[in-house]
Amino acid sequence: MSEAVKRVYAFGKDANGNNVTEGNTEMKAVLGGKGANLAEMANIGLPVPPGFTITCQTCMEFANGGNSWPEGALDTIAEYRADLEERMGKKIGDAEDPLLVSVRSGAPMSMPGMMDTVLNLGLNDESINGLIKQTENPRFAWDSYRRFIQMFSNVVMGLDGDLFENAITAMKNERGVKSDTDLTAEDLQQLVAEFKGIFSQNVDPVAYPSLVVDGLVQFPQDPTLQLQLAIEAVFGSWNNPRAVLYRQKNKIADDLGTAVNVQSMVFGNKGNTSATGVAFTRNPANGEKEFYGDYLVNAQGEDVVAGIRNTSPIAQLKTVEGLEEAGQQLEDIFVVLENHFRDMCDIEFTIEQGKLWMLQTRVGKRTAAAALHIAIEMVKEGLITKEEAVMRVEPDQLDQLLHPQFDKNATYDVVARGLNASPGAAVGEAVFSAADAVAANEAGRNCVLVRWETNPDDLAGMIAAEGILTSHGGKTSHAAVIARGMGAPCVCGVEALKIDAEAKEARISGTDIVIREGDIISIDGTTGIVVLGPVSLVMPEITGDLDAILEWADEFRTLGVRANADNPEDAELSRSFGAAGIGLCRTEHMFLGDRKQIIQTFILNEDEAVREEAVRELLEVQTNDFYGMFKAMDGLPVIVRLLDPPLHEFLESARALDVEIARLEAAGTDAALVAEKRELMAKIDSFAEQNPMLGMRGVRLGIVYPILPTMQVRAIATAAARLKKEGLDPKPEIMIPLVSVVTELAKLRALAEKVIAQVEAEEGVELEIPIGTMIELPRAAVTADEIASVADFFSFGTNDLTQTTFGFSRDDVEGEFVPQYLSERLLPFNPFATVDAGVARLVQMGVELGHEGNPEIVCGVCGEHGGDPDSIATFNGIGLDYVSCSPYRVPVARLAAAQAALSQK
């Protein structure tokens, strides 16, 4: 088969048993992950049902062409369909011996559960008879047909799945049976007729004129039309809301598209020697080397992930009568796949009347704990190198290990137990819908999403919730897989939980306990327990596997990692996480609480004597603050940023004071008190600025009020001198913020050096305190060579540098229009979360010019970008010495810096 642009690739064997596969695992960008790995499994001789893959690029051609097919594409698909029919010796839709196919999505990047699948395609009112004839199993045939209509209606036509589930439930109630498997062939044949009626009543004839027969919408009987509509639906699912949301969360590009895999069907629902399942070559929750997963006898694949029936563990498969040989073969294939791909594999399989078929494999999603353990064990086993092990762990996954756990000293009563599907603990209000979870999150309330089982449409609620709790489903259900990928705690399969989503409550069978919306519950995804009420949570320590990976990471990274911390407790925490110093100590955070009154006295009094007394009080408390910080970080650098925000931020709210005055006047309060309040109001108003973030703050504040930097520098130097006398090794550094011209820095540097010299003389010690500046204005970046002549270090404040480069006010734009910019792709990502290329160019310019002005200058980043892996990769390539981030991001930054160094070699 030839075409100018190759849009379709075959995989599997021909009628003579020869491998005719055209792709391989290196072609994920073309064939998608599923198609590339199906091809690879076929190439290494594993049993793969034959089929063909339509490329990701065809998906994007279709989408970009207004959902119309590129010229020649349908003809090529028809050729490959004919080839598949020849290879299988059957035809789709044949009345004597029909070939049935599945139509599945498969993006280049794994997106489990985000896009659509159609099974049993090719069945119609004629081919059903051929299936009955060939299988001699009418029940199986009618069950396959009703599944096809149900799935086609939901996935392809967008009909509500409950329309069909309600019909099944009504049938079971009418027959007095509990399970779908208890329905007879005649019952299922009747359901097929009902399903076709539901289809006709709910599909819009104007939207689908090709389905109108004799004036009425009919379920399509033409296999060619079935196949075309199904492929178009899978292409369309690339842009469904849940897929778009998943790509945004996981930073997957929108222009990759999804491939479509058309594959001959094999059936796990042909009786008790048939089965279907999902498995992992190692435990994806903890990384132990054991076969892990679920299977169901006499079922189709969607039954396993949908949680409709409770599953059995994969380890038991080879002990089931009639499945022993296939179960052992599956375990042998586990080993083959893991050795071939050199990673933990996620597998979907079906056993049809004792014969094993492999439907999919991919590198398996895993928790952070599992990722670490698997990487380390595979190094020990000689499968991968230490460098590969470091590259295998996603930096953001480490947040999972830093998530809270139940306090081991807490007492609580377990009200229900389920499967420990995703580790970590969560406490929050019970909510029973994704929409309610989103609403609770937006209102600032922690919640736990409680569902019978989640589905892809629940993704927004799953992201919003602290944790997920389901009454059905196994460890490979939708809830479990997505929660593990997000690092959210999850407990699945709590059978005692009887959920009434409409009433927004859940009863626990065997008890009189009812969990209602808003009730606080706690879940532990590590042990699978549910607790009514709050449980105290604690943060885990970094030990074991994480320590080992981070030690390896430290061998490879060239970028230092410091922490942003404002108190001794955070400093000690940062040090325990491996920070090599404090890159930003924000002194304004030390002026809150009881001390706020002192700084307010300074600001609001014009009497110099009163101001000097306030400064003396601040000097005492600041000295003690810095003493604690420097002691906690003994031997490591601590960069102290002098007072930065505008003074009005330390004052009371003018709006609140205005309201208070109005109430006092309305109550007839003493006029003298009202006058006093009005005088205070006038003073507060005098500090108001039109644009305070660009007004009297940073270095400007120090120049106008030199008494403030004098006090802070004296406190820093005095604390350092005391520690030196005690035999410790304090290493403070002084950072002057918001400098735009070299003369500003030179003026305050001279002031600081004078104060340091005075303290040295008073305390009788020699101090070495570097003085530098924060580069957070474009002018400072482009004149960095001048500024560097009077600076010992630069710290790039990328938060403000982003604001001033874009002309964005972060506090305003993130809530007002950045979400729209992201949804319309006017911005590829939030520039306050991941550093923008233009801002990075200013940083690089500042580093290069800075070294021209001072070859010994040290350069770092202390904005929030310092803990973002993508930003760290950018910073690693532009000459910075370190990044600084929040304490809990330090392990993330250490790993990300190592990966950046390895990938940029």
Side-chain angles (χ1 to χ4, degrees), residues 536-807:
S536 298
L537 304 180
V538 295
M539 299 301 300
E541 297 178 3
I542 296 185
T543 56
D545 292 339
L546 180 54
D547 268 341
I549 285 288
L550 290 178
E551 286 171 9
W552 292 349
D554 291 342
E555 292 177 24
F556 305 128
R557 67 181 170 91
T558 56
L559 200 59
V561 177
R562 301 185 188 181
N564 302 337
D566 311 320
N567 56 68
E569 295 74 25
D570 281 353
E572 289 172 3
L573 180 66
S574 303
R575 190 163 193 157
S576 73
F577 283 157
I582 301 300
L584 175 63
C585 173
R586 293 155 290 207
T587 55
E588 59 269 18
H589 290 183
M590 299 172 174
F591 290 176
L592 303 178
D594 295 340
R595 304 174 186 184
K596 193 173 181 180
Q597 184 61 47
I598 305 174
I599 190 69
Q600 285 180 348
T601 299
F602 172 86
I603 297 168
L604 295 173
N605 275 276
E606 296 178 4
D607 187 326
E608 286 302 317
V610 174
R611 281 189 166 183
E612 287 176 6
E613 177 57 31
V615 168
R616 276 194 291 272
E617 289 185 57
L618 288 172
L619 173 63
E620 181 180 350
V621 295
Q622 283 268 271
T623 302
N624 291 333
D625 290 333
F626 296 135
Y627 178 90
M629 287 289 295
F630 303 158
K631 187 173 183 179
M633 298 303 291
D634 185 49
L636 295 176
V638 178
I639 294 181
V640 180
R641 182 177 72 185
L642 300 186
L643 198 61
D644 181 41
L647 290 179
H648 79 86
E649 290 195 6
F650 297 105
L651 301 178
E652 303 302 331
S653 164
R655 180 176 295 179
L657 187 57
D658 198 20
V659 171
E660 183 185 356
I661 291 170
R663 286 176 176 168
L664 289 173
E665 289 178 330
T669 305
D670 179 59
L673 177 60
V674 172
E676 182 184 327
K677 294 288 185 180
R678 286 199 174 280
E679 183 181 355
L680 175 60
M681 178 88 159
K683 288 181 178 179
I684 291 175
D685 284 342
S686 72
F687 284 93
E689 296 179 284
Q690 292 299 317
N691 193 339
M693 295 312 293
L694 296 176
M696 179 72 77
R697 55 168 288 220
V699 66
R700 305 153 196 170
L701 193 62
I703 290 172
V704 174
Y705 298 101
I707 194 172
L708 290 175
T710 298
M711 176 273 293
Q712 289 197 297
V713 172
R714 175 168 284 277
I716 292 166
T718 302
R722 290 179 186 175
L723 289 166
K724 288 201 79 166
K725 288 179 179 180
E726 294 173 16
L728 298 179
D729 184 23
K731 293 192 172 184
E733 303 182 18
I734 294 172
M735 180 159 67
I736 297 165
L738 211 69
V739 164
S740 58
V741 294
V742 64
T743 49
E744 291 175 316
L745 180 58
K747 182 177 178 66
L748 282 199
R749 182 184 182 105
L751 181 153
E753 288 176 334
K754 179 180 178 181
V755 173
I756 293 168
Q758 290 171 351
V759 173
E760 285 178 318
E762 293 165 7
E763 300 288 342
V765 297
E766 193 173 311
L767 299 173
E768 184 178 336
I769 303 179
I771 299 171
T773 187
M774 183 178 264
I775 303 292
E776 47 197 327
L777 297 172
R779 190 187 191 284
V782 301
T783 61
D785 51 342
E786 299 174 11
I787 294 173
S789 66
V790 290
D792 299 315
F793 66 86
F794 282 167
S795 181
F796 290 85
T798 51
N799 295 348
D800 275 354
L801 189 57
T802 298
Q803 290 198 96
T804 52
T805 300
F806 274 94

Side-chain angles (χ1 to χ4, degrees), residues 186 383 389 670:
E186 290 74 20
L383 275 177
D670 179 59

